[in-house]
Structure formats: C-alpha cells, structure tokens
Amino acid sequence: MNLNFGDLNLLKEQWQNAKPYSHVVIDNFLPLELAKSVSDEFPHADSDFWYEYSSPLEVKKACSEWNKFPSSIYRAFLSLLSPQVTEVLSFITEKDLVADIGLHGGGLHLHKAGGKLNTHLDYSIHPTAKLQRKVNIIVYVSENWQTEWDGALGL
C-alpha cells in the first residue's frame, strides 16, 4: 500500500524547522480508499472492543490488541509499521528508528464527547524493548469532523 508522504526532502526540512517540537503534518496520508475503510470499520464508542482510561490527564478508550482489529485497520497498521515506512521516517527524522509492533501505548484511541488528552510526556524508554521512544505517528480518520467539536493536535 502506498502511503502519501509527498516530497521527502521537504518533510525532512519541515521536521528540522518545526516549532515548538520537531514534527510534520501530512494531510491525506492514507490512500482515500483505505482511510474510508478504516473510518467505516472503526469500532463504535459503546462497543466492548475498547478498554477505558480515566485519569487527570486523559479520559479515552483504547485498544492495542491486533487480533481485535477489523481487516482494514489491521492492514493500515501493517503498512504503518512496515520496514519501508520505518526507513522513510528514519530519513525524515535523521534517527535510527525501530517500529513498535507490540503497540505499547499505541493502537486505536477514541475520545467520546467529554473525553480528554491533556498535554503530557509519553514514556521515554520502552518498558520491554528498552529502546528510546523517538517518534509517534498519529492518524486522524474522522471523515466528517466538525471544528465546533473542539479537539485538535496540540504540541
């Protein structure tokens, strides 16, 4: 599957010059057909698919169990964690990256009305692999997102 990275040299430059932290935003990153399938298959907020977090920092639902993912979501994760994507992200970031196929702290996340994810610092050392966490990939797939719902990427 071809993810839409665009101009890698431009992304590398954006990464290096981004403030307040190194980052890039890539609109339409997933091919439209896959993004639509992921959105359509995304588990309903009230299903028993999710486990829930509720703390002062976050109120959300999540799932990192590969065997529970619908087929299009499974395929999307296979692509995101592929050696090809890891190589591209290593080029953009100039870091020697290793994909976390165990999805520790990753996977699917959902925030219902009233949910939150306050600004926080993720763990820096993976608890099992003992590797430093360097990059997160966040893919939004809300097809008909409305700005009045609030919620946005904040760095």
Side-chain angles (χ1 to χ4, degrees):
M1 167 187 342
N2 292 328
L3 301 175
N4 302 318
F5 282 102
D7 183 331
L8 297 183
N9 289 313
L10 178 60
L11 289 175
K12 185 175 188 175
E13 181 180 330
Q14 290 172 350
W15 174 271
Q16 292 169 342
N17 296 316
K19 302 290 182 215
Y21 304 102
S22 298
H23 70 280
V24 294
V25 175
I26 305 171
D27 291 327
N28 304 309
F29 179 62
L30 294 180
L32 183 58
E33 183 179 315
L34 177 61
K36 175 95 174 93
S37 295
V38 168
S39 180
D40 290 346
E41 290 185 11
F42 206 88
H44 190 273
D46 295 323
S47 75
D48 61 0
F49 175 86
W50 305 101
Y51 57 91
E52 296 188 40
Y53 284 100
S54 185
S55 74
L57 287 178
E58 56 191 348
V59 175
K60 69 178 183 178
K61 296 186 174 200
C63 180
S64 58
E65 297 177 50
W66 281 84
N67 62 338
K68 291 177 76 173
F69 292 173
S71 63
S72 64
I73 294 171
Y74 194 98
R75 286 193 321 272
F77 272 90
L78 285 175
S79 290
L80 293 169
L81 296 166
S82 71
Q84 296 83 0
V85 169
T86 302
E87 183 178 316
V88 167
L89 293 176
S90 292
F91 171 79
I92 292 168
T93 64
E94 296 182 327
K95 298 181 183 304
D96 185 19
L97 301 177
V98 176
D100 178 11
I101 59 171
L103 302 179
H104 185 82
L108 299 181
H109 296 253
L110 176 138
H111 295 83
K112 290 174 49 171
K116 67 178 177 179
L117 182 60
N118 289 348
T119 303
H120 66 282
L121 181 63
D122 285 338
Y123 67 84
S124 60
I125 303 296
H126 191 284
T128 306
K130 305 300 183 207
L131 297 172
Q132 184 181 21
R133 186 178 204 165
K134 297 181 180 182
V135 174
N136 286 340
I137 300 173
I138 302 170
V139 179
Y140 294 94
V141 293
S142 300
E143 186 175 2
N144 296 309
W145 182 257
Q146 299 174 29
T147 55
E148 60 268 16
W149 293 346
D150 291 326
L153 176 63
L155 300 173

